Amino acid sequence: MPASFNPLIYGGLGAAAGLGLAWGGCVYAARWPGSRVFGDALVAPPRPGEIALTFDDGPNTAWTPRLLDILAGHEVRATFFLVGKFAQAEPALVRRIALEGHLIGNHSWSHPNLALAPAAKVYEELKRTSETLEQITGQAVRFFRPPFGARRPRVFHIARALGLLPVLWNAMTNDWEEPSADRIAERLIRRVDRLGPRGRSANIVLHDGSHRGQGANREPSVNAAWQLVAKYKHMHRFVTVREWEGS
Ligand SMILES: [Zn+2]
């Protein structure tokens, strides 16, 4: 379990959001409202009743298609933070994610610990991934989740310079190593149910892939996602993190 995060809300992005791909490097970042506070990131706004399902480390040919079937069956839209090199290898699957109405975010090219990487490497990892995803889907990439949650000001600064808004989370369990879907769902439901009374929406992380390579068995995570959708779809609203920008 990572340390729990302060639910910081990154505000004041309205003006910058409209600029989309007008990437101007650090000059642009310096003009960005709020860019003085490099530690800020989007977590979850004070909108109890909303849930963002977010999936990291895909696309994974073994389990992402099944997950997409489940989400489509319930008309739920989710956010997928994709690893650039996997996206490049599986463009058809990336296009399917986008075509089915899900939001695609940047999860770096090769999933290194960016907190330990030199600035030039961080820049390359993020830029190459955004460019690849944009080439495949034709859509601008706006959101970034740091691999391993490496939320260093320097990493966030570089992300912002590339027009990317860092996204963290407030509900996670060790789904990548837990064989029981029931236990994954149970733990996440406990977290989600604690967030509501505190006036928070839920930003849930699950893994449909593995940064170690293609083909990882993510059946427990995918089935846990199905359980969450089944439990909450009537009383909560499933959103992508795009709907939270600027809130
Ligand atoms: Zn990851």
Side-chain angles (χ1 to χ4, degrees):
M1 261 299 292
S4 61
F5 294 112
N6 288 326
L8 293 173
I9 306 301
Y10 188 71
L13 275 170
L19 295 174
L21 285 178
W23 295 354
C26 287
V27 175
Y28 175 62
R31 285 164 35 209
W32 194 330
S35 63
R36 292 176 302 273
V37 190
F38 294 130
D40 281 2
L42 178 65
V43 178
R47 292 196 210 161
E50 289 192 355
I51 295 177
L53 278 177
T54 72
F55 297 96
D56 289 6
D57 294 2
N60 174 10
T61 50
W63 282 96
T64 306
R66 171 79 188 120
L67 173 60
L68 291 170
D69 291 345
I70 290 169
L71 296 173
H74 293 275
E75 294 182 8
V76 164
R77 306 279 179 271
T79 303
F80 288 79
F81 289 99
L82 302 183
V83 175
K85 66 178 180 182
F86 297 160
Q88 185 186 49
E90 300 297 339
L93 185 49
V94 175
R95 268 192 291 275
R96 181 180 165 194
I97 296 171
L99 280 171
E100 295 187 5
H102 305 291
L103 179 64
I104 289 179
N106 182 328
H107 196 43
S108 83
W109 185 261
S110 65
H111 207 286
N113 185 340
L114 296 176
L116 306 175
K121 162 93 169 161
V122 175
Y123 184 84
E124 259 319 296
E125 283 273 337
L126 303 194
K127 186 166 188 283
R128 192 175 174 195
T129 302
S130 283
E131 285 175 356
T132 299
L133 295 175
E134 284 164 14
Q135 271 164 19
I136 295 171
T137 66
Q139 295 170 12
V141 177
R142 173 69 182 129
F143 299 94
F144 158 66
R145 174 166 282 151
F148 307 113
R151 54 196 179 106
R152 295 295 165 86
R154 188 177 54 102
V155 172
F156 284 9
H157 183 182
I158 293 167
R160 294 227 178 91
L162 287 165
L164 293 166
L165 175 59
V167 178
L168 298 175
W169 59 83
N170 63 9
M172 185 194 227
T173 181
N174 58 336
D175 70 295
W176 61 90
E177 57 183 13
E178 169 57 65
S180 162
D182 289 352
R183 273 198 292 272
I184 294 169
E186 215 171 86
R187 289 178 195 140
L188 290 173
I189 286 167
R190 245 193 334 259
R191 288 185 174 79
V192 171
D193 288 347
R194 274 202 299 256
L195 289 164
R198 281 155 44 191
R200 289 278 149 198
S201 46
N203 181 339
I204 300 174
V205 181
L206 283 164
H207 294 76
D208 61 324
S210 165
H211 67 274
R212 294 181 201 285
Q214 279 296 306
N217 176 19
R218 289 297 184 231
E219 183 172 14
S221 303
V222 169
N223 283 341
W226 174 78
Q227 291 187 34
L228 291 169
V229 168
K231 176 169 174 70
Y232 289 115
K233 75 172 186 172
H234 296 299
M235 23 178 204
H236 288 64
R237 204 165 80 83
F238 284 93
V239 299
T240 70
V241 299
R242 179 189 282 138
E243 289 166 71
W244 289 349
E245 186 174 6
S247 51

